[in-house]
Amino acid sequence: MKKTITLLSLAIGLTVSAQASAAAANTNTASTIASYGTDSLVKTDGTFWIWGPQQPVPTQVPELSGVTSMLGNKMVEKQDHTVWLWETKVLSKAVTVKPVSGISNVAKIEGYGPMLAIDADGNVFSSVKTDEGWDLTHFEPVKGIDHVTDVESFYRSNDKTGEGRRVFLKSDGTVWTNSDSAQTFTPVKNLDNVVQLEDTIALKKDGTVWTWPKTLKGTGPLPGTLSATKIQSLSHIKSIWQNQKSSLAIDNQSRLWFWGATVTGYSDGPVYTDHAKPVLLTGVKNVKEAYIVENSIVAFTGDGKVYETSIQRNQVPSNVSFKLLASNVVSVKNGDRHIIMQKKDGTLWGWGVNKAAELGHGDYEFMHNTPVPVQKPISVSLNGENVPLGSGVITRNEQNFVPLRSVFEKMGAEVSYDEKSKTAKVTRNEAGKPAISIAVNVKTGSITLNNNPIRFDNKPFTVDGTVYLPLRLISEKLGATVNWLPNEERIAIRMN
């Protein structure tokens, strides 16, 4: 029994000339990417693109144009300083876009539960709580704190209870705190002249690093104040980084220090061993940035190289060796389990866990141990009009494959799927034009045109239930011409 495709979307791939594709792949032209993150990017034309569980490669969000910055937590800011929230529905490729009221000209978005925003003037705003939960489309001013340059969130607990806490860095170098349940703000003891906050550590202007505990002993009420203590073995530090379990610091000689938890055991039953004393790691030099990603230390050096070493061991020795991951890198963005890097030629590359297509490479391999290219953000137009795609263009073997169900419908074709035979069909029965029926067997990859087999060099493939196959022959049979415009990173389809 035939039915219109729902969960399985048909994607027909566009084959462009090998010469044009090869030229686009091998020529280091100016990058079209204005900024990027770990799951999204903004092009120089202000278009916004995402990838992840529902979109395995960069896919344009057509409702968002004129974007200037990505704020994180699925929020972006436009040229007019308005803020917008985008969300991808579970088990669907549909993306919803909503305006966010109450904030503009945002410098940072941070937090869980109540989301906090800091604007360029140092004012703090909080998302509003409703009966359904926290409304991320509406923010209201937070009273009692101002001139804020940064905010960090963490969870503090004892043997009986716990609470969400915030620490605020003010422009005068002082640090203040409150809990999710308290509206009053108190200074963190011993912290002044602070230049950087990371979770539960602070860097002072004099290069010393200070910390305060997340876990307290006892069962009584948690104290409302925080008191910081100096980490004695660290001095002349110029930057710090911390996640929930581990910490890193870079000193004024660009040397890297590590302390915190190492990991042993299995992924479903890890054992964390804490090492409170910082260790100087001599296996990497000239470090500019460093992060903990999944169970690895990732170091980005001043000569444009990225290195990695594992913390899956009982302890990290001072002379631990680092493996080179990439060269010619100009910037790195880190996630909890993966990184995205941009190289000098403007291309993006990903490394790390990829189970939810975090690397934008076009697959769902659990992890890539060597860097893989993020697919290019390529758009599709029909007769000059941009075509919204449920999933973006995938390039393989120097050829572009594009999901085009909506394009086929605009071209007068109908797309359907036979679950029993695993066959997708594209049919056209338009008055005055020859009837056309194209059948794609999802299981075998075979294609027929009006029941006649079609031979082609690049076989169809599927990614997350979406079928991709060569298109030039098919599109021309439907009365269209196809052009690849490499300078615009656009595939232009025009009806004859």
Side-chain angles (χ1 to χ4, degrees):
M1 178 178 178
K2 295 181 180 179
K3 58 182 180 180
T4 301
I5 296 179
T6 54
L7 294 180
L8 176 68
S9 61
L10 175 69
I12 306 298
L14 169 67
T15 302
V16 298
S17 70
Q19 291 180 348
S21 296
N26 296 327
T27 301
N28 292 337
T29 58
S31 175
T32 62
I33 298 172
S35 60
Y36 72 98
T38 57
D39 62 359
S40 55
L41 62 86
V42 178
K43 296 185 72 171
T44 52
D45 60 5
T47 56
F48 181 66
W49 302 67
I50 63 172
W51 62 88
Q54 279 72 50
Q55 287 82 21
V57 297
T59 304
Q60 185 179 353
V61 180
E63 296 85 357
L64 289 173
S65 59
V67 175
T68 56
S69 61
M70 297 173 293
L71 304 174
N73 294 288
K74 299 190 181 300
M75 293 188 188
V76 300
E77 189 167 12
K78 292 189 176 184
Q79 291 174 347
D80 59 4
H81 298 304
T82 58
V83 178
W84 297 76
L85 174 72
W86 63 271
E87 297 175 308
T88 304
K89 294 183 178 179
V90 179
L91 301 179
S92 168
K93 296 183 184 298
V95 180
T96 59
V97 176
K98 300 176 183 178
V100 180
S101 64
I103 54 175
S104 64
N105 204 14
V106 175
K108 184 175 182 177
I109 297 282
E110 164 66 20
Y112 50 84
M115 195 76 70
L116 296 184
I118 304 172
D119 69 13
D121 296 323
N123 301 307
V124 181
F125 302 82
S126 173
S127 57
V128 176
K129 192 172 187 178
T130 67
D131 292 338
E132 289 77 27
W134 294 101
D135 181 6
L136 300 183
T137 64
H138 182 63
F139 283 69
E140 292 184 349
V142 174
K143 298 179 180 180
I145 190 80
D146 56 14
H147 297 95
V148 173
T149 61
D150 197 6
V151 58
E152 291 286 327
S153 305
F154 64 96
Y155 190 79
R156 183 173 68 157
S157 64
N158 62 15
D159 297 332
K160 183 179 180 180
T161 186
E163 63 178 3
R165 298 287 304 196
R166 317 282 179 155
V167 284
F168 302 83
L169 175 60
K170 299 185 70 171
S171 57
D172 63 1
T174 60
V175 178
W176 297 69
T177 183
N178 77 331
S179 67
D180 288 345
S181 59
Q183 299 301 314
T184 58
F185 298 84
T186 58
V188 179
K189 295 180 180 180
N190 302 323
L191 287 187
D192 54 14
N193 294 313
V194 172
V195 294
Q196 186 183 352
L197 282 180
E198 287 287 334
D199 202 42
T200 60
I201 57 176
L203 174 63
K204 287 191 178 185
K205 188 176 181 179
D206 63 3
T208 59
V209 180
W210 298 68
T211 187
W212 52 94
K214 287 184 181 180
T215 304
L216 303 176
K217 295 181 179 180
T219 58
L222 293 170
T225 59
L226 294 177
S227 180
T229 57
K230 181 181 176 182
I231 300 178
Q232 295 296 331
S233 55
L234 291 177
S235 61
H236 305 293
I237 301 299
K238 63 181 181 181
S239 67
I240 55 175
W241 187 92
Q242 186 181 61
N243 64 7
Q244 294 182 352
K245 295 182 172 64
S246 304
S247 305
L248 299 168
I250 302 171
D251 64 23
N252 60 5
Q253 298 181 54
S254 298
R255 301 180 303 178
L256 182 61
W257 298 75
F258 166 83
W259 70 102
T262 57
V263 187
T264 54
Y266 299 96
S267 60
D268 57 350
V271 176
Y272 297 95
T273 304
D274 187 62
H275 305 275
K277 185 177 180 179
V279 176
L280 174 62
L281 305 181
T282 60
V284 63
K285 302 181 184 301
N286 193 21
V287 179
K288 183 164 63 173
E289 300 172 13
Y291 325 94
I292 303 292
V293 178
E294 185 64 351
N295 293 325
S296 293
I297 300 172
V298 174
F300 176 35
T301 60
D303 56 355
K305 295 180 179 179
V306 177
Y307 296 86
E308 174 269 339
T309 194
S310 176
I311 61 170
Q312 285 188 284
R313 55 185 83 213
N314 290 319
Q315 63 180 15
V316 178
S318 179
N319 63 348
V320 65
S321 61
F322 280 77
K323 179 179 73 173
L324 177 65
L325 292 179
S327 301
N328 298 316
V329 176
V330 295
S331 62
V332 179
K333 305 293 183 181
N334 70 291
D336 291 337
R337 311 187 75 185
H338 75 290
I339 61 172
I340 302 294
M341 306 170 282
Q342 187 170 36
K343 292 195 174 186
K344 289 181 180 179
D345 62 2
T347 58
L348 298 182
W349 294 72
W351 173 87
V353 173
N354 184 58
K355 63 179 295 186
E358 290 94 336
L359 304 186
H361 181 58
D363 65 16
Y364 290 83
E365 292 291 332
F366 180 83
M367 182 165 182
H368 284 284
N369 291 307
T370 58
V372 293
V374 178
Q375 294 281 318
K376 288 186 177 181
I378 298 174
S379 60
V380 178
S381 65
L382 175 62
N383 292 338
E385 180 182 348
N386 190 58
V387 178
L389 304 177
S391 182
V393 175
I394 292 180
T395 303
R396 290 188 179 180
N397 299 322
E398 298 184 344
Q399 296 186 355
N400 293 327
F401 296 80
V402 185
L404 279 176
R405 182 176 183 226
S406 58
V407 173
F408 272 4
E409 292 174 345
K410 288 183 179 181
M411 294 166 70
E414 178 182 341
V415 180
S416 61
Y417 182 66
D418 188 328
E419 177 66 32
K420 184 176 181 180
S421 64
K422 306 295 183 185
T423 300
K425 284 191 175 181
V426 179
T427 59
R428 188 191 67 185
N429 293 289
E430 188 176 348
K433 293 184 179 181
I436 290 178
S437 176
I438 302 165
V440 182
N441 188 295
V442 175
K443 186 175 182 179
T444 65
S446 63
I447 302 176
T448 61
L449 173 61
N450 294 337
N451 297 319
N452 295 315
I454 299 176
R455 292 180 177 275
F456 47 87
D457 295 331
N458 293 278
K459 292 185 178 180
F461 58 87
T462 61
V463 178
D464 193 33
T466 298
V467 183
Y468 294 82
L469 64 154
L471 172 69
R472 177 173 288 278
L473 174 63
I474 298 171
S475 65
E476 291 177 352
K477 290 295 183 181
L478 290 174
T481 58
V482 177
N483 289 302
W484 163 237
L485 307 177
N487 291 336
E488 301 179 34
E489 292 183 335
R490 178 166 63 92
I491 296 165
I493 303 173
R494 184 163 294 277
M495 294 293 294
N496 296 326

